[in-house]
Amino acid sequence: MALVALGVTGGIGAYKSVDVARRLQQVGHDVTAVMTAAACRFVGPLTFEAITRRPVITDQFAPGANADIEHISLASRIALLIVAPATANVIGKLANGIADDFLSSMYLATRAPVLIAPAMNSNMLEHPSVQRNLARLSEQGVRFVEPGEGYLACGWTGKGRLAEPAEIVAASRQLLSPDGRLVGRTLLVTAGPTCEDLDPVRYLGNRSTGRMGFAVAAEALARGARVRLVVGPTPLEPPAGAEVTRVRSAREMHQAVLECAEGADAVVMAAAVADYAPADGARPGKIRKGSGALTMRFERTPDILSELGRRRAGAALPVLVGFAAETQDLVQRARDKLREKQVDLVVANDVSLPDRGFAADTNAATLVTAEGEEDVPLGTKRALAAVLLDRMETLIHAPVAS
Ligand code: CTP
């Protein structure tokens, strides 16, 4: 069966992790326990060693463990990394790329699916910093087993207790044999803003961060799809496993998308593409201020999605999905775009509200198709991506000729 790394961090729930190891073994998996220094204060490494019948990793620099750069070697061999319990501290480290011990280094080094079971005091769990880190990990494709409600070790009653070992093992089973609904399919996803350079120091951009497109890409990867990602300038890291093409302007995005759309089963245009660019390109030298107003002429950029719609011309694939960022008449405008751009589905976003749209970790949207509308309530962008991909799978597998 599979080799599973079980990360154990310093929470009172660490004792339940012994049962997780035992249950994973019972269903035939090999388990290597990786304990943080704090975890060793709650449960002895010997307990895990006896249960897993393998050496337990407790120190990144232990003598004898470095001949093979163990955190890289193990990272490339495992089929799944589970972190249970995951404290607020380790969640913060993983979400922010901090690699100061074996477990956090291995998280960065592995391309295996990652399952995290958070456990902490309810107030800590609800803290915006922890919530932001959880949302960030979710966008990176990490899966979670939600903490349970009940009596907590700190004496409180509330949400934060480590999920039961049986739940953690059930969730891991799903990741070890992914449902594979998109295995063999190729999705092209665009994400982020575009920047239209005005001169060597200035540009016309927009507030897109790429989070929504990355969430769609991560969800598609988790479903077994091959994902090509065309990304405008954003400091955020795209999900691991996607084939990334970086672009800057709408024109560059146009070219990259047409190339990458070749053979794709679906295209999701989540990028916020500039509609206008300077008519004569960027000025070669810096624009100096004068006493009066500045006038520049802008011309339309190619509408990439419309072009894909035209090129498809009656064929069923690729399934085409657009996004409509609107501040008013949400559904009507999305419906107009659906028709004008000849696409299958438009995700309509109200960007005038603070908890959705650009830069937010959450989103709510209305999915508009020729058949009707579906409201997706406020949730993580990853949750919206999951609903979108459910609908797209139906279109990919039983496409309606347009
Ligand atoms: N889009 C595109 N090429 C462009 C502009 C937009 O492919 N040059 C795509 C976007 O990625 C998005 C969809 O078209 O999926 C809708 O973009 P939006 O900017 O909301 O709509 P526009 O058609 O530009 O209409 P308007 O800005 O007038 O609302």
Side-chain angles (χ1 to χ4, degrees):
M1 293 287 273
L3 175 63
V4 177
L6 177 61
V8 187
T9 74
I12 188 70
Y15 76 92
K16 286 195 195 171
S17 204
V18 178
D19 196 24
V20 174
R22 197 179 56 84
R23 285 167 183 267
L24 285 167
Q25 277 195 316
Q26 277 172 348
V27 290
H29 300 306
D30 277 332
V31 181
T32 290
V34 179
M35 300 179 73
T36 62
C40 296
R41 303 183 70 159
F42 287 88
V43 186
L46 261 182
T47 309
F48 281 98
E49 193 170 307
I51 294 280
T52 62
R53 292 188 219 102
R54 280 173 165 263
V56 174
I57 297 168
T58 53
D59 182 0
Q60 183 156 19
F61 303 111
N66 299 296
D68 199 18
I69 314 190
E70 187 64 12
H71 67 269
I72 305 289
S73 161
L74 185 62
S76 56
R77 284 183 284 123
I78 55 174
L80 175 67
L81 168 61
I82 302 176
V83 186
T87 57
N89 181 51
V90 80
I91 287 167
K93 287 203 293 188
L94 302 188
N96 291 287
I98 294 168
D100 66 350
D101 62 7
F102 193 100
L103 180 61
S104 50
S105 305
M106 189 173 67
Y107 168 76
L108 293 184
T110 193
R111 291 296 173 263
V114 179
L115 180 68
I116 288 183
M120 65 196 77
N121 162 276
S122 331
N123 274 4
M124 290 173 77
L125 184 65
E126 281 166 16
H127 195 282
S129 295
V130 174
Q131 287 298 314
R132 193 185 54 228
N133 288 333
L134 289 170
R136 193 169 279 182
L137 287 171
S138 163
E139 275 160 27
Q140 288 171 17
V142 167
R143 296 298 178 93
F144 293 94
V145 191
E146 288 285 311
E149 302 228 3
Y151 179 76
L152 305 178
C154 52
W156 293 34
T157 303
K159 190 170 175 183
R161 200 166 72 172
L162 180 66
E164 290 309 314
E167 276 180 77
I168 297 171
V169 174
S172 68
R173 206 169 296 155
Q174 207 182 355
L175 289 175
L176 285 165
S177 53
D179 64 12
R181 280 172 288 172
L182 285 172
V183 169
R185 299 291 185 171
T186 300
L187 263 70
L188 166 59
V189 182
T190 67
T194 60
C195 291
E196 306 304 326
D197 288 326
L198 306 179
D199 70 9
V201 292
R202 303 180 181 92
Y203 63 86
L204 186 68
N206 62 65
R207 296 170 64 173
S208 169
T209 58
R211 281 177 208 275
M212 190 62 231
F214 288 176
V216 173
E219 182 65 26
L221 285 164
R223 294 179 186 211
R226 177 178 175 196
V227 176
R228 299 175 186 153
L229 195 53
V230 176
V231 190
T234 170
L236 302 184
E237 272 306 303
E243 297 161 34
V244 180
T245 306
R246 293 186 188 271
V247 298
R248 181 165 175 83
S249 64
R251 247 170 232 295
E252 285 176 17
M253 184 166 281
H254 175 238
Q255 197 183 340
V257 167
L258 293 188
E259 279 165 22
C260 295
E262 210 49 53
D265 296 289
V267 181
V268 181
M269 284 290 303
V273 188
D275 289 322
Y276 293 93
D280 307 312
R283 305 259 179 99
K286 188 180 154 194
I287 303 167
R288 306 245 158 244
K289 61 179 165 296
S291 51
L294 170 71
T295 306
M296 276 186 100
R297 225 167 58 79
F298 287 85
E299 64 183 11
R300 283 292 306 270
T301 57
D303 188 320
I304 307 167
L305 196 51
S306 295
E307 186 163 340
L308 292 173
R310 272 197 310 278
R311 285 183 175 214
R312 183 175 60 164
L317 295 178
V319 165
L320 296 178
V321 175
F323 275 69
E326 306 290 356
T327 49
Q328 55 193 25
D329 302 333
L330 189 64
V331 171
Q332 189 47 49
R333 292 200 174 183
R335 197 158 283 296
D336 292 344
K337 282 175 191 170
L338 186 81
R339 197 186 53 253
E340 286 159 13
K341 300 190 188 218
Q342 302 175 63
V343 300
D344 305 292
L345 195 155
V346 171
V347 183
N349 250 165
D350 186 341
V351 288
S352 63
L353 301 167
D355 53 2
R356 55 205 74 182
F358 300 131
D361 286 322
T362 48
N363 209 349
T366 305
L367 307 187
V368 179
T369 62
E371 281 71 45
E373 287 131 36
E374 178 184 0
D375 286 326
V376 185
L378 192 64
T380 61
K381 287 189 170 172
R382 184 64 185 262
L384 172 59
V387 177
L388 173 62
L389 279 166
D390 285 348
R391 303 301 166 264
M392 285 176 60
E393 277 172 14
T394 312
L395 293 166
I396 289 173
H397 294 127
V400 181
S402 54

